Amino acid sequence: PAQIMAAKEDLYAKVTPRRQRQTRPSTVKHGSTLDVLLSMGFPKTRALKALVSTGGKNVQAACDWLFSHVDDPFLDDPLPREYVLYLRPSGPLLQQLSHFWQQSRLSCGKNKAHNIFPHITLCQFFMCADGKVEALSDALQTTVAKWKGRIPLPLPLELYTSSTFIGLFVEEQVAEVLKSFAADFATEAAAKADVHVEPHKKQLHVTLAYHFQTSHLPILEKLAKNVDASSGCDWLAVLFSRDIRFANHETLQVMYPYIPQNDDELELVTGDFIFMSPVEQSSASEGWVYGTSLGTGLSGLLPENYVNRADESDTWVVHGSHSVLNCASPSNSGSTVGGLLFDGQHNDCLFDSLMDPPGIAGLCPPLQVKRPTSQPSLSKMRLFVCRHGERMDVVFGKQWVTQCFDSKGRYIRSNLNMPSSLPARSGGHWDYDKDCPITVFGSTQAHLVGEALLESHTTIDFVYCSPSLRCVQTAQHILQGLQQEAKTKIRVEPGLFEWTKWVSGTCLPTWIPPADLAAANLSVDTTYRPHIPLSKLVVSESYDTYISRSFQVTREILAECKNLGNTVLIVAHASSLEACTRQLQGLSPQNSKDFVQVVRKIPYLGFCACEEMGETGVWQLIDPPILPLTHGPNHSFNWREMLMQD
C-alpha cells in the first residue's frame, strides 16, 4: 500500500501541471454503450475508463476489462491517458518497411526504432479526460473529411543516414501540407474536446533505425537503400493512446503461465503484458523482476524467464483510423483488436469469449504484411523451416512419464490432450523422459499448417527433420494435412538437432531409430543416410559448433536436393529457424545472447521461408505462403474443485 500511495503521488505531481483547465462541461458521447454499462451498476468513472482502455463501443470488451481490473489500485483514479496522432503506411510501402524491419532486426538485433511501428509523427503526446475521448475521435474524423483530396499522394520520401540515425524524410513542401493538417486537428480537438494538441514542428519523417551500434551502420544503410520509398501507399491517420503510468517503463510479454507461490508474486497469463520500471527492482532478487500487469493492473514479483521483451506500442489502444487517400471512408472509427491488419477497410471487432487473455482488447495491431497474391517463381529453390508442435513435457511437466506409465510400462493417458497411444521404444518408456512426443493439440497445429500449405497450392518436394520424436511427429502431421504422406518420406537428419548445450544430464537422448519409426506407421525414409550421423553429436557443444553444424547440414541438404525439386521443408526446433537460415543470407551469426533472445520468441509451428536469388548462392527471407498460427492458453480444469465444494 505504501508503495502504491507513493506511486500515485509521483504520478499526480507529473500530471497536474500538464492537465488542461476545465472550461466547459465534460463531453460524453458513448451513448448506448455507456448506458448499458451504467445500467449494469458500474460507476460512471469506471465505465468510461473501461471503454477508453479497450478502444470504445464494445460492451463485452469493457465488461471483461472491468472484471479483470476489479482489484486494480488505480481503478478509481481519474488519471487521463496520453494520446498521439500518427500517419501509418499501408499497402506496398508497408510491405517494404516490414521487410526492412525484419531484416534489420535479424541482422543487427533490436534498436530503438523497433519499439514503435513505422509512422510519421503529426503531434506530441497530449492528455485527454476519459469523458472527452469520443469527442476527440470526432475531431479527427472531421479533420480528415475536411482534407479530402488535399494531401498529395504518394508522399515524396527521401532517405537520410547519419552515424546514429536512418530515416525517410518527407519533402519540405508536402511536409508543410501535413503540418497544416495537424494544425487543423489541433483546432478541432480544442473546440470539440477542450484539449491542447501541439503539432509536430520538426522535420516529418519515418524513422528506420536509431540508437544502434556504430558497427551496424553499413548493414542498416544497405538494407535501407533497398526500400523503395516510391511504392504505392495509402496513409492512415491513426489516433493512439497509452497508459500514462507506464510511459517510461519497459514492456514485457508473458510467454508462459505462472501461478503465484507467495503473496507478493504476480499471476501470469500467457499473452498478457507486464510493465517494468528499473527504479522498482529493489525488492526483486536475482532471476525475478517487479512489474505491473496490463490485464489486471496488479503489481508483484514474477520470474524473469517467463517473460520476453515486447515493443512499447504493443500495448497502445486505437481510437480512430482514417484513410487520407479516401477520406470519405474511415478505415476504422472504433477499436481495433491486436492482430487485425490496417487495410483501408472498416473493421467491427466483437469479443466473443470471456476466455480471451485479458488486456488484449483494443490494442494497436502488430506490424503485419498482407500475403502476396502470386507464388514465387517455380524455378527458384525455396526452403521452409518450421518448429515442432506443442510438446508433452511442457504442458504436463517432466513428471508426465511417471504419471502415464504403470509399473509394467503400459501407457495410460490422463488428459484429452495426451495422445491415445505412443510408439513402443526398445529402451523402455523412460526414453520418453528426454525425447517426448507432441500433444494432441500439437498434432492439430501441425495438421493445420499442412492444410494451409495445401490451400496455398504449395508442394513440398523433400522433408528433413531432427531425430527428436516431436519433430518427426510434427512432420508426419504436416504431410497428412498436405495429403502427401503417401508419396513424400521424412528424412531423419541428426545434424538438425538443437544445440546440445540445452540437453539436461550427461548424455544425449536415445532417439527411436528410423526403422522403428516406420514400423510405427510414420512416413520415414529408412534408406536415407544422414549428412551428420549420431556419432558426430557431442554433449554440451559450443555455440559456434552448433551454428556451424546447422549451417553445414542446411547447405548440404540444399545441394542434395538441387535440380531434383524446388521446395525443401525442415522440421526441427525453435533455434533452427535462426541457425539454418541466417548464414544462408550472407549474414554473420549473432552472439549467443542475442541468439537466445530471438529463439525464445519463436512459438510452436513457427514458420519461416527463404528463397534463392537466382544462381548466386545467396538466399533471402520471403513471406511464407501461409498465415501465422496463434492460440491462447487453456488451463487445467478439475470439475471437483468447483462442483463438490461444501
Side-chain angles (χ1 to χ4, degrees):
Q3 191 173 15
I4 292 172
M5 289 301 297
K8 288 188 177 186
E9 290 176 5
D10 289 343
L11 276 169
Y12 280 114
K14 295 175 183 177
V15 170
T16 301
R18 297 168 60 188
R19 297 184 69 177
Q20 308 305 317
R21 291 182 299 108
Q22 301 295 317
T23 58
R24 55 177 63 89
S26 174
T27 306
V28 179
K29 295 184 180 179
H30 286 291
S32 60
T33 308
L34 178 62
D35 291 340
V36 171
L37 293 173
L38 296 178
S39 68
M40 296 171 69
F42 293 113
K44 186 175 182 179
T45 55
R46 290 191 179 188
L48 283 170
K49 182 171 286 191
L51 287 170
V52 170
S53 298
T54 56
K57 298 185 183 179
N58 189 295
V59 174
Q60 183 66 70
C63 285
D64 291 351
W65 189 93
L66 285 164
F67 288 134
S68 64
H69 283 76
V70 66
D71 295 320
D72 185 344
F74 283 86
L75 183 59
D76 295 313
D77 284 47
L79 280 173
R81 293 177 67 88
E82 284 192 314
Y83 294 78
V84 71
L85 180 63
Y86 285 162
L87 278 185
R88 285 194 68 176
S90 67
L93 180 58
L94 176 59
Q95 293 187 13
Q96 293 272 334
L97 295 172
S98 301
H99 184 69
F100 172 83
W101 237 250
Q102 181 186 49
Q103 293 293 315
S104 62
R105 203 160 187 166
L106 286 171
S107 304
C108 305
K110 185 176 179 179
N111 63 64
K112 283 285 187 180
H114 290 120
N115 277 330
I116 304 176
F117 41 77
H119 67 279
I120 295 174
T121 302
L122 293 182
C123 70
Q124 306 300 315
F125 274 96
F126 61 92
M127 286 179 288
C128 178
D130 292 345
K132 297 184 178 182
V133 173
E134 190 75 7
L136 183 64
S137 298
D138 287 347
L140 175 60
Q141 188 167 355
T142 300
T143 305
V144 171
K146 177 181 176 182
W147 278 80
K148 179 181 179 181
R150 294 170 58 187
I151 298 177
L153 295 175
L155 296 181
L157 300 172
E158 183 177 352
L159 178 64
Y160 170 82
T161 64
S162 71
S163 59
T164 58
F165 177 89
I166 300 176
L168 297 171
F169 279 77
V170 183
E171 188 271 330
E172 188 173 350
Q173 286 187 332
V174 177
E176 290 304 315
V177 175
L178 294 179
K179 289 180 180 179
S180 297
F181 171 83
D184 273 7
F185 169 68
T187 301
E188 288 288 341
K192 290 180 179 292
D194 190 31
V195 297
H196 175 69
V197 177
E198 186 70 33
H200 196 62
K201 291 186 172 61
K202 297 180 180 179
Q203 289 179 287
L204 301 187
H205 62 274
V206 178
T207 301
L208 297 182
Y210 76 104
H211 280 204
F212 50 81
Q213 295 181 25
T214 305
S215 60
H216 291 160
L217 178 61
I219 299 174
L220 293 171
E221 190 172 19
K222 181 180 179 181
L223 291 172
K225 288 179 178 178
N226 290 331
V227 175
D228 182 4
S230 64
S231 298
C233 176
D234 181 16
W235 290 87
L236 306 173
V238 190
L239 183 64
F240 295 98
S241 76
R242 67 183 183 186
D243 192 320
I244 194 172
R245 293 177 293 165
F246 309 117
N248 296 312
H249 286 52
E250 183 175 354
T251 306
L252 309 171
Q253 187 166 22
V254 177
M255 307 303 292
Y256 310 104
Y258 177 75
I259 303 299
Q261 308 297 311
N262 298 290
D263 291 341
D264 60 351
E265 295 175 3
L266 187 65
E267 181 177 1
L268 301 182
V269 176
T270 305
D272 190 12
F273 290 92
I274 304 295
F275 299 107
M276 182 193 75
S277 171
V279 300
E280 296 175 337
Q281 302 311 307
S282 58
S283 60
S285 57
E286 185 177 356
W288 292 73
V289 296
Y290 184 87
T292 302
S293 162
L294 171 69
T296 65
L298 299 177
S299 302
L301 296 169
L302 56 132
E304 188 174 13
N305 60 346
Y306 278 55
V307 294
N308 239 337
R309 288 187 179 181
D311 297 335
E312 177 187 345
S313 58
D314 287 346
T315 62
W316 291 4
V317 176
V318 180
H319 298 275
S321 174
H322 305 268
S323 165
V324 300
L325 178 63
N326 179 14
C327 298
S329 301
S331 61
N332 184 14
S333 58
S335 64
T336 300
V337 179
L340 290 182
L341 191 66
F342 280 112
D343 58 2
Q345 302 298 317
H346 183 72
N347 294 316
D348 288 318
C349 306
L350 296 178
F351 290 77
D352 54 6
S353 173
L354 286 170
M355 296 302 291
D356 287 340
I360 304 304
L363 297 187
C364 163
L367 185 65
Q368 294 190 9
V369 185
K370 289 184 179 179
R371 298 264 69 77
T373 55
S374 60
Q375 292 292 321
S377 169
L378 293 178
S379 63
K380 296 181 179 180
M381 283 198 73
R382 287 183 298 169
L383 170 66
F384 299 149
V385 186
C386 181
R387 188 190 177 192
H388 58 76
E390 182 181 79
R391 49 191 288 177
M392 282 274 281
D393 56 355
V394 170
V395 176
F396 299 106
K398 289 289 186 181
Q399 69 277 9
W400 78 270
V401 177
T402 303
Q403 295 174 349
C404 291
F405 288 90
D406 62 18
S407 58
K408 295 183 179 180
R410 292 175 298 195
Y411 170 73
I412 305 171
R413 72 172 178 174
S414 58
N415 189 286
L416 288 178
N417 197 25
M418 294 179 173
S420 57
S421 62
L422 292 176
R425 307 190 75 132
S426 57
H429 65 275
W430 286 112
D431 284 348
Y432 277 116
D433 189 46
K434 284 190 175 182
D435 185 32
C436 71
I438 58 177
T439 62
V440 172
F441 186 68
S443 303
T444 304
Q445 290 172 315
H447 205 277
L448 284 171
V449 167
E451 288 179 340
L453 289 169
L454 180 65
E455 290 172 5
S456 69
H457 306 291
T458 300
T459 299
I460 302 296
D461 298 302
F462 298 98
V463 178
Y464 292 79
C465 79
S466 160
S468 294
L469 178 60
R470 57 188 181 274
C471 299
V472 180
Q473 290 178 319
T474 300
Q476 174 78 11
H477 286 285
I478 290 176
L479 287 174
Q480 288 177 352
L482 259 170
Q483 299 179 14
Q484 285 188 219
E485 73 273 21
K487 67 176 183 178
T488 307
K489 298 293 184 181
I490 301 166
R491 296 177 172 180
V492 179
E493 174 55 62
L496 292 172
F497 184 59
E498 65 184 346
W499 188 8
T500 62
K501 179 184 175 181
W502 290 336
V503 176
S504 60
T506 58
C507 61
L508 295 174
T510 301
W511 293 295
I512 301 177
D516 292 352
L517 291 170
N521 296 318
L522 292 164
S523 302
V524 171
D525 184 351
T526 57
T527 66
Y528 174 68
R529 298 188 63 181
H531 293 277
I532 298 179
L534 290 173
S535 59
K536 295 294 185 180
L537 296 181
V538 296
V539 179
S540 298
E541 67 187 335
S542 69
Y543 172 66
D544 290 341
T545 300
Y546 167 65
I547 292 297
S548 298
R549 164 166 66 84
S550 299
F551 182 38
Q552 174 194 336
V553 74
T554 304
R555 283 189 305 174
E556 292 180 5
I557 285 172
L558 294 172
E560 181 177 51
C561 299
K562 195 171 183 64
N563 300 322
L564 299 175
N566 292 319
T567 306
V568 178
L569 170 65
I570 288 176
V571 181
H573 307 271
S575 56
S576 305
L577 275 72
E578 167 78 2
C580 293
T581 63
R582 184 175 179 83
Q583 288 173 275
L584 278 183
Q585 302 168 68
L587 303 173
S588 300
Q590 300 195 81
N591 61 56
S592 59
K593 183 178 179 180
D594 290 340
F595 170 79
V596 170
Q597 290 300 316
V598 170
V599 169
R600 287 175 60 187
K601 298 177 182 178
I602 297 173
Y604 294 127
L605 269 299
F607 194 102
C608 72
C610 276
E611 183 178 80
E612 187 178 23
M613 300 172 65
E615 296 295 325
T616 62
V618 178
W619 293 64
Q620 64 176 352
L621 287 174
I622 60 173
D623 291 321
I626 62 174
L627 295 170
L629 173 64
T630 306
H631 63 88
N634 188 41
H635 301 294
S636 179
F637 171 70
N638 186 340
W639 65 271
R640 289 185 173 86
E641 293 179 3
M642 287 187 60
L643 306 181
M644 295 189 69
Q645 295 179 351
D646 294 333

